[in-house]
Every structure is written in structure tokens, then in C-alpha cells.
Amino acid sequence: MSTTVATGASVEAIQHHYDLSNDFYALWLDPSMTYSSALWYGDESLSSAQRNKLDWHLDRVQIDTAERLLDVGCGWGSLLHRATERNPRCHGVGLSLSAAQLAAIAEHHWPRIETRLESWADHEADAPYDGIVSIGAFEHFARLDQSPREKLEGYRAFFVFCHRVSKPRGPLSLQTITYETADREQFSRFFAERIFPESDLPHLHEIAQAAHGLFEIVELRNDRAHYARTLRHWLSALRAHKDEAIALVGERAYIDYERYLGLMVVAFHTGTMNLCRLALRRLDPPGVLA
Ligand SMILES: C[S@@+](CC[C@H](N)C(=O)[O-])C[C@H]1O[C@@H](n2cnc3c(N)ncnc32)[C@H](O)[C@@H]1O
């Protein structure tokens, strides 16, 4: 890594969550294995709402003309797959710290998709990207034990990275959970210890501050009700597959995940957390750096 700035959860912490069992996640995610808030336009299935979300971000990076796309935190590959389906000339590069996710992607043999078990902080681009998307990964770019200043420096390093690997005025589409009426002092120890170790959420103002002078925000949606609805689907699917889930990951993990999904429904319902979708554009020349 070219910087001494701490940039979030370690590989071990990420794998604690995402390498639990692909078969377990398949029991309650939609068939595309998209693990982030969907985008609901009406009375539709979870799969359809997940596709809406992928398309929303792909539209923001002008996928129809993009030939090189970077997905930071590519999960099980649904965005990359959708991108290359929509634009057969597009080459997608996905980064993840989860070996299990990348093994699952490799089994598909999807053409024009390349993945790397690597943090964005270590990624060297072969050539600039036409667009960058990052969905549900920013939540791991800071740690609870960091000072507010260290946290901001880590976020800043992410936007410096995105600026470096994108083209002039290039688009960046970001989706992340943010603190709203709660903050890190109220962050549940249960999440920190059992579900998402070494991870802390951003406030919206921290994202804006970290991007200042590098990217301008061109669009912002607050969709917390969409995440509550997504989580209700996941929770009922998990409960419907209780016995299979326990057989795969054990009773303790099942209870943890049921509790985690239920707590998240309440958090998004009450507004202690928000779900932000941000479309940004690289500033050229960069503005005055704070
Ligand atoms: C909640 S999943 C979201 C996956 C996918 N974007 C989706 O919406 O289905 C978070 C992803 O971020 C990845 N991640 C976390 N920290 C990362 C980092 N520093 N660099 C690259 N990927 C990271 C994880 O490995 C995982 O793939």
C-alpha cells in the first residue's frame, strides 16, 4: 500500500462475515446474490428491485458507452454481470476482500469480467476507468477504534484513489449506509463484535468532506425505507430456511444473523441509519483541497 493511512477493515475481518458460507447467503439473498439495499419502484419482487438498483448505478456511470468499469466491493458479481450484459464491449474489474465471493464468481466463467482479491488501497489500474461503482463497501472503509480525523483521512484516501484511476470528469456511483440520528457511540457492540468487526459507518457530511475538491456530488437519494423493505425480504427468507441455515453455519450464527437483520429493519425504519445513493463526478481541475 502506497499510503500509511488506515483504510478500514482487514481481510480477516471482511472474511469473518463474507466467507461464512456462500450456500448460507444463497438461502436468503435473491438469485443474483446482491447483498445491499434494492431500489423499489412499486409492487415487485426482490430480484426485480435488485436489478433496478444495479441499473440505477450503471446508468450513473453511462454504462452504454463505458468500456472499462471498476466495481469496488463487487460481492458475488451481480453488478459486473449486469454491466457486461448491458454493454457487450464493457470490461469489468471487481475488487473484493472475500475469497469465497471471488471463487463463486470464477465458477460462472462470465466473459469480460476480471476480479482481484485486493483492497482498493492496493489496486493499480492498468488504464483509467470510464466509471467506478461501489455499493455497500464504504461501510468497511473505517474502523470504530479510529479517531474522527483518522476516519476522514481513510475516506479521503478512497476519493484520492478514485480520482487517480478515473478519467477527467469521470463518474463515480456510490451507495452506503450512513448514520443519521445515531452515531458511533450508539453503534451496537453486537454488530461490532459478532457481525461486522473493524467497521464503522460514515456520516453523510464526512463523505462530502472527504470528496471535497476531488468529486462533485451531482445526485443524492436517501432510500432508508428501501433498505427496510429489502431486509424484511431477507429476514423472512432466512426464517423460512432456518433448518438448512443451521445445518450450514450452526445455531449461534443463525441466531446472530436473525438478530442482525431484525435490528437493521428497525434502524432503517426509525431513521437511526440511512441508505444513501450518491452519483459523483470527478472534478477537473481539482478544487481547493481542504
Ligand atoms: C455488503 S458487500 C456488497 C457487495 C456488492 N457490492 C453488492 O451490492 O452485492 C461488501 C463488499 O465490499 C468488499 N470490501 C470491503 N472492504 C473492501 C476494500 N477495502 N476493498 C475492496 N473491497 C472491499 C467486500 O469484500 C464485499 O465484497
Side-chain angles (χ1 to χ4, degrees):
M1 196 161 73
S2 57
T3 168
T4 53
V5 171
T7 49
S10 64
V11 177
E12 295 73 24
I14 292 296
Q15 295 191 352
H16 167 84
H17 187 91
Y18 298 99
D19 284 12
L20 181 59
S21 157
N22 286 341
D23 291 340
F24 169 69
Y25 286 108
L27 292 177
W28 49 278
L29 298 178
D30 74 300
S32 73
M33 299 281 282
T34 302
Y35 191 18
S36 48
S37 174
L39 176 56
W40 304 89
Y41 292 129
D43 185 15
E44 58 196 317
S45 67
L46 175 61
S47 290
S48 157
Q50 287 294 14
R51 175 172 291 205
N52 296 339
K53 182 265 304 291
L54 300 178
D55 281 341
W56 188 88
H57 288 285
L58 291 173
D59 288 344
R60 298 298 160 302
V61 297
Q62 291 116 41
I63 193 61
D64 297 336
T65 53
E67 295 192 356
R68 281 178 53 77
L69 175 74
L70 177 67
D71 184 2
V72 180
C74 65
W76 285 273
S78 59
L79 181 102
L80 293 168
H81 184 237
R82 180 70 180 145
T84 53
E85 198 175 64
R86 281 185 56 178
N87 179 356
R89 292 174 315 285
C90 181
H91 177 87
V93 176
L95 310 181
S96 170
L97 295 179
S98 161
Q101 291 180 332
L102 298 193
I105 295 175
E107 282 176 15
H108 291 294
H109 300 288
W110 285 323
R112 300 180 310 284
I113 289 175
E114 177 192 340
T115 60
R116 301 200 193 160
L117 186 69
E118 167 178 273
S119 171
W120 56 267
D122 299 318
H123 181 61
E124 296 293 338
D126 299 333
Y129 293 102
D130 297 301
I132 304 174
V133 178
S134 184
I135 304 174
F138 204 93
E139 294 90 332
H140 299 297
F141 296 172
R143 303 160 70 128
L144 271 176
D145 60 4
Q146 288 178 314
S147 69
R149 184 181 165 167
E150 288 167 332
K151 188 182 177 192
L152 203 59
E153 282 172 358
Y155 292 158
R156 182 84 182 156
F158 173 70
F159 287 109
V160 167
F161 160 77
C162 291
H163 196 277
R164 188 176 74 240
V165 301
S166 56
K167 289 184 175 167
R169 302 194 60 71
L172 164 62
S173 199
L174 192 63
Q175 174 168 321
T176 181
I177 302 170
T178 55
Y179 287 124
E180 189 59 43
T181 61
D183 66 18
R184 65 194 329 195
E185 306 309 323
Q186 285 107 38
F187 192 74
S188 156
R189 292 289 122 194
F190 164 71
F191 281 110
E193 283 159 22
R194 310 248 351 128
I195 306 294
F196 294 116
E198 299 180 14
S199 298
D200 190 15
L201 298 174
H203 285 275
L204 182 57
H205 68 83
E206 291 172 321
I207 300 174
Q209 206 178 337
H212 179 74
L214 297 169
F215 285 85
E216 58 184 327
I217 298 171
V218 291
E219 207 174 334
L220 168 64
R221 290 180 63 127
N222 166 1
D223 283 332
R224 71 182 163 87
H226 295 233
Y227 215 159
R229 188 168 167 187
T230 306
L231 283 152
R232 277 191 215 102
H233 276 264
W234 291 345
L235 183 55
S236 63
L238 177 65
R239 286 178 173 153
H241 293 97
K242 180 174 178 179
D243 293 345
E244 294 147 275
I246 291 175
L248 286 166
V249 297
E251 190 159 14
R252 177 84 196 262
Y254 174 83
I255 291 169
D256 280 352
Y257 271 70
E258 192 189 28
R259 184 173 166 205
Y260 140 58
L261 295 175
L263 286 171
M264 296 273 281
V265 172
V266 176
F268 286 108
H269 184 68
T270 56
T272 55
M273 293 194 257
N274 260 328
L275 187 275
C276 290
R277 307 187 219 260
L278 296 108
L280 303 108
R281 183 165 51 222
R282 192 177 113 155
L283 281 170
D284 291 280
V288 177
L289 302 186

